[in-house]
Structures are given as C-alpha cells and as structure tokens.
Amino acid sequence: IPLKKSQNRKIYVRNMRSNTTGVSFNRIVFARYLTGISLCLISSIFSFLVNLIIYVFYKNLPLKSYLFIGLLTLIISLMYMLILIPFIYLFNQNGLTIAVVLLILIAFILSKVNHSALKISNFFHQSSNLKLGFYCVLCVLLTAGISYIVSVIICKKRFYN
C-alpha cells in the first residue's frame, strides 16, 4: 500500500529526530563531558607549567601557592564546563550567553542576601584545608552528576521526540 505524502513526511521527521548513528544518547553526552574534562585538565597542566616557570625565575611566592592556583584554575574551569554543557544542549549557541548571564545574576542575588559574604568568609576561615578540599571535590562531583543527568534528559527530549 503506497503511503500518502503526509505519512511520508511524518516518517521523515521521526527519522530525522531519532538517533541515526546507533549510539546511545548517554554515550554521546558522555563523550562531550569527557572532551570538556580533558580540555580542562590540559589547560590546567599548561597553567601549572607556566606557574612553575614563573616560580623558577622569580620565587616571589612559595611553590604551594602556585600549586593552589593551578588547582583552583582546574576547579573553576570544571565547574564552568559542567554548568555550560546543559545550557548549550538546551539553547544551542545562545547557551553560553544565557549561562554567563544566569551565573552573574545568581552571584548578584547572593551578594544582596544579608551578610552572605561574611558567612562565606567565616566558613572558609574556620574550615581546615582538608575539609575545604573535600567540599570542593564533593561540589564538583555533585555538579557533574546533576549536569550529566540534565544533559541526557535534554538531549533525549530535544532530539528524540
């Protein structure tokens, strides 16, 4: 039985929105995250090497400070990447702009909360380095899990339905 034009169009649209590669959405999203994490690690290693060269020539700060700067660079770039990927899946090219505006808006709102800067400052001063490191790792892992799940859901809803 020949299909009508409208039926052909529905099949064509359904096939265009389905995953034609045969690779699961989980693997596609995981590949993007793996690429982002690799780039963050490479850039942090490069930053650490530059800091090491500066340390060798100038020695104005202890080596521990340069290691801390490199680690902080890695954490910030990972958090930014983890927040950015779901926005890119949801808003395409505009995802970067929307994510940055949202982050600035959240920082502004948090700065207006009563004594929030003082509370955060006290928290950092009262915590040991080990606790702060644990909190950072926990925050990155929690953000990564939430970001990955949200990205898979967005990818499935957006490209499969």
Side-chain angles (χ1 to χ4, degrees), residues 9-26:
R9 176 74 181 151
K10 288 178 185 177
I11 292 170
Y12 174 75
V13 169
R14 187 176 64 229
N15 287 337
M16 288 301 292
R17 289 185 176 174
S18 68
N19 186 357
T20 58
T21 62
V23 180
S24 70
F25 285 114
N26 291 335

Side-chain angles (χ1 to χ4, degrees), residues 2-153:
L3 298 173
K4 296 179 183 175
K5 283 187 178 183
S6 63
Q7 289 173 327
N8 283 336
R9 176 74 181 151
K10 288 178 185 177
I11 292 170
Y12 174 75
V13 169
R14 187 176 64 229
N15 287 337
M16 288 301 292
R17 289 185 176 174
S18 68
N19 186 357
T20 58
T21 62
V23 180
S24 70
F25 285 114
N26 291 335
R27 293 185 92 160
I28 293 170
V29 172
F30 183 72
R32 181 169 275 187
Y33 276 89
L34 195 61
T35 303
I37 291 170
S38 300
L39 289 173
C40 290
L41 285 173
I42 290 169
S43 66
S44 293
I45 290 170
F46 179 73
S47 172
F48 172 72
L49 291 175
V50 169
N51 285 337
L52 198 60
I53 292 170
I54 291 171
Y55 172 74
V56 168
F57 287 117
Y58 296 107
K59 295 186 182 181
N60 56 352
L61 290 175
L63 184 61
K64 187 176 179 181
S65 296
Y66 287 110
L67 291 172
F68 179 74
I69 291 170
L71 187 63
L72 195 60
T73 303
L74 175 65
I75 290 171
I76 290 171
S77 63
L78 279 174
M79 290 297 288
Y80 182 68
M81 185 262 319
L82 292 172
I83 292 170
L84 184 64
I85 287 179
F87 281 94
I88 289 176
Y89 274 124
L90 192 58
F91 299 111
N92 293 330
Q93 293 88 356
N94 296 327
L96 175 65
T97 305
I98 293 171
V100 169
V101 168
L102 189 64
L103 287 174
I104 292 171
L105 183 66
I106 289 172
F108 179 74
I109 290 172
L110 284 177
S111 71
K112 296 300 178 186
V113 174
N114 291 339
H115 308 293
S116 63
L118 182 64
K119 290 177 186 177
I120 293 171
S121 175
N122 287 337
F123 173 76
F124 282 125
H125 287 297
Q126 293 172 356
S127 297
S128 67
N129 290 342
L130 187 62
K131 277 187 179 178
L132 288 176
F134 175 74
Y135 292 144
C136 283
V137 169
L138 185 67
C139 185
V140 168
L141 290 176
L142 188 64
T143 305
I146 293 170
S147 176
Y148 179 76
I149 291 169
V150 168
S151 293
V152 169
I153 290 171

